[in-house]
Amino acid sequence: AAENVDGIIHLAAVSRVITGEKNPALCWKTNVEGTRNVVDAAIYSSNKPWVLYASSREVYGEPKSFPVSESAPLSPVNIYGESKIAAEQIVEKARDQGIQTAIVRFSNVYGSVHDYHDRVIPAFCRAAAFGSDITVEGGNNLFDFTYIEDVAQGVLSLVNLLMQGQTLPPIHLTTGQASSLAEVAQIAKEASVHSINIVEGTPRSFDVAKFWGDTNRAQEVLHWKASVSVYEGMRRLINQYSV
């Protein structure tokens, strides 16, 4: 499969913390052994395609200082984060066998109606579009919500550098801005044409409570900066659901 390609953008994964908690074995098999299969395909092909690996903010666990830089300690609090670290190590080790690689760490990417409907931003935006109640599980939790079009541009910038043969450190594609779940719920409520109730739920024990990422490396290496605010991005997604 890797024989006649220039590069591989490896996004495939068990991509949700809650899915990993429900089935740890599947999470590890997919995210770690699956990544090993992708990397091996690159290693054993004759043209040695580059590999761009999609990792996650979950590798940091509960950070001690903010904004979180790419050099912050890796200390995951769930199986999903552990699987992402193990996969990163496989990708980095592939460099010893002649594979050009890069690691990008995402944070709460949103903006597509094809996303899981029960993820935070899609759930809030669907509620706004259709007039349902919004349930907030941990209103004070702070996250760095990144719009999908910004992320796509960042990935393309990384691909361009890989094609030039550059060696790259792990890079965040984040906004550097923290928004609480209570704030984004309120954005959804105010953007709705319906009368929306916001209901307080119980925070989940396996979720990280706070993250926002340092954007300096992305700006310096990729000349990339997120341009879509969470306010604008959510309104775009609400409009997509409403069509």
Side-chain angles (χ1 to χ4, degrees):
E3 190 61 40
N4 296 309
V5 299
D6 297 315
I8 301 166
I9 301 173
H10 176 29
L11 303 172
V14 167
S15 60
R16 304 185 67 199
V17 171
I18 190 170
T19 307
E21 292 301 303
K22 289 180 177 179
N23 194 335
L26 176 65
C27 181
W28 193 264
K29 180 179 179 180
T30 304
N31 292 2
V32 181
E33 299 308 320
T35 297
R36 192 186 309 278
N37 290 342
V38 171
V39 168
D40 283 349
I43 290 171
Y44 294 116
S45 68
S46 59
N47 57 326
K48 297 288 192 289
W50 47 260
V51 176
L52 171 57
Y53 177 65
S55 190
S56 166
R57 65 168 175 82
E58 290 286 345
V59 298
Y60 303 109
E62 295 285 3
K64 304 301 182 184
S65 61
F66 301 90
V68 181
S69 73
E70 289 89 344
S71 59
L74 305 185
S75 184
V77 297
N78 50 55
I79 187 67
Y80 174 76
E82 292 172 2
S83 74
K84 285 295 184 178
I85 291 176
E88 283 192 13
Q89 293 169 347
I90 291 169
V91 171
E92 289 178 339
K93 190 175 180 180
R95 294 180 178 182
D96 297 336
Q97 295 178 269
I99 301 299
Q100 193 74 18
T101 69
I103 293 167
V104 59
R105 293 175 182 152
F106 296 150
S107 173
N108 296 82
V109 180
Y110 72 98
S112 171
V113 295
H114 302 295
D115 201 349
Y116 290 99
H117 291 166
D118 58 346
R119 289 186 67 222
V120 171
I121 295 294
F124 290 3
C125 291
R126 279 174 57 84
F130 302 127
S132 306
D133 289 348
I134 293 173
T135 300
V136 180
E137 298 173 343
N140 293 326
N141 291 358
L142 293 166
F143 298 115
D144 195 326
F145 297 102
T146 321
Y147 193 63
I148 190 169
E149 290 181 9
D150 281 333
V151 171
Q153 290 300 318
V155 168
L156 289 173
S157 296
L158 272 166
V159 166
N160 287 334
L161 295 182
L162 283 169
M163 292 179 69
Q164 294 169 24
Q166 293 196 31
T167 299
L168 301 166
I171 294 178
H172 290 159
L173 291 182
T174 60
T175 69
Q177 303 294 319
S179 299
S180 72
L181 295 188
E183 288 171 341
V184 294
Q186 191 63 33
I187 290 171
K189 179 176 180 177
E190 293 175 358
S192 178
V193 298
H194 305 283
S195 178
I196 301 292
N197 295 316
I198 297 177
V199 180
E200 185 175 346
T202 304
R204 298 183 305 205
S205 61
F206 48 81
D207 279 338
V208 172
K210 293 182 181 179
F211 176 88
W212 61 98
D214 190 322
T215 63
N216 287 330
R217 183 175 288 178
Q219 293 184 52
E220 293 169 2
V221 176
L222 303 178
H223 307 293
W224 176 92
K225 186 176 182 179
S227 62
V228 180
S229 69
V230 67
Y231 177 86
E232 172 62 23
M234 287 183 66
R235 285 180 173 265
R236 291 184 188 181
L237 184 55
I238 291 167
N239 288 338
Q240 289 183 57
Y241 279 123
S242 300
V243 172

